[in-house]
Amino acid sequence: MATTSMAMEQSKEVDIYRDTPLRFVGYTNEVGEAFRPLVHKNIVNLSYAAAFIYVLADVRDKAIKMKQSLSNTDHSPSSVNKKVVIAGADTLLWQTLASVAIPGFTINRFCAVNYFLLKNYAKIPKPTRKYVTTALGLLCIPFIVHPIDEFTTYAMNNTIRKLYFKE
């Protein structure tokens, strides 16, 4: 029994885009959002570009893996193509939501609220306010990753995935 369990664990492939520190590359836009008070908006935009490159790399990876997994089966070419497109689209949607849109919005609003509070209630000088806002934004990034990933998976499992993963 234990041997079977170990064999199953060993055969489970590690997804470098979701199970390794590479996952954090998808969060470069959050770092950009945290630094928004200190840097030019073009730097923030570049951080979004880096995050989307990560997203597209994962989409490519999932589509290729789906095609390879179906290559030696008796599926029709149209069935294979459909499954490859669904795998890619699902990854694109999940990664866009979980890695870019939701966390980017979250950090942006978190930093904006902190900046507003520091300005209006703490009366902290502007340069200090910018650095404190950036530090707080950076500090909260590790705490939002898992909940956002879980929420995105839950939301997609209960909405769009019900449509395209029907048997």
Side-chain angles (χ1 to χ4, degrees):
M1 192 81 143
T3 307
T4 305
S5 176
M6 283 178 51
M8 287 174 55
E9 285 179 27
Q10 289 174 349
S11 68
K12 185 179 178 186
E13 184 179 339
V14 173
D15 182 345
I16 65 166
Y17 293 98
R18 296 190 190 178
D19 303 327
T20 69
L22 183 60
R23 173 79 179 95
F24 294 106
V25 175
Y27 287 88
T28 54
N29 61 306
E30 284 75 345
V31 173
E33 286 294 347
F35 274 96
R36 186 180 287 276
L38 296 173
V39 300
H40 192 273
K41 67 180 180 177
N42 289 342
I43 301 294
V44 178
N45 293 342
L46 282 174
S47 72
Y48 275 89
F52 268 110
I53 289 169
Y54 162 84
V55 168
L56 294 175
D58 191 24
V59 169
R60 182 180 183 275
D61 179 64
K62 298 305 178 291
I64 288 170
K65 285 180 179 174
M66 178 60 75
K67 189 166 187 166
Q68 288 171 343
S69 74
L70 298 171
S71 65
N72 294 328
T73 63
D74 59 353
H75 290 86
S76 69
S78 64
S79 174
V80 169
N81 289 339
K82 180 180 176 183
K83 289 175 190 269
V84 169
V85 168
I86 289 173
D90 183 74
T91 302
L92 178 63
L93 181 58
W94 190 91
Q95 285 287 12
T96 299
L97 291 171
S99 297
V100 182
I102 297 171
F105 177 79
T106 302
I107 297 297
N108 178 284
R109 295 295 81 205
F110 178 81
C111 288
V113 167
N114 278 299
Y115 190 84
F116 173 82
L117 293 173
L118 291 171
K119 178 180 178 184
N120 293 307
Y121 296 101
K123 304 294 184 193
I124 294 175
K126 188 173 185 175
T128 305
R129 216 171 33 238
K130 288 180 175 186
Y131 284 102
V132 170
T133 297
T134 296
L136 291 171
L138 290 171
L139 286 171
C140 83
I141 292 171
F143 298 102
I144 68 170
V145 172
H146 186 69
I148 289 173
D149 286 357
E150 292 293 319
F151 169 76
T152 303
T153 299
Y154 175 82
M156 287 182 61
N157 284 346
N158 290 288
T159 57
I160 189 93
R161 286 180 175 160
K162 287 186 175 188
L163 297 175
Y164 55 69
F165 286 141
K166 282 185 180 178
E167 293 298 318

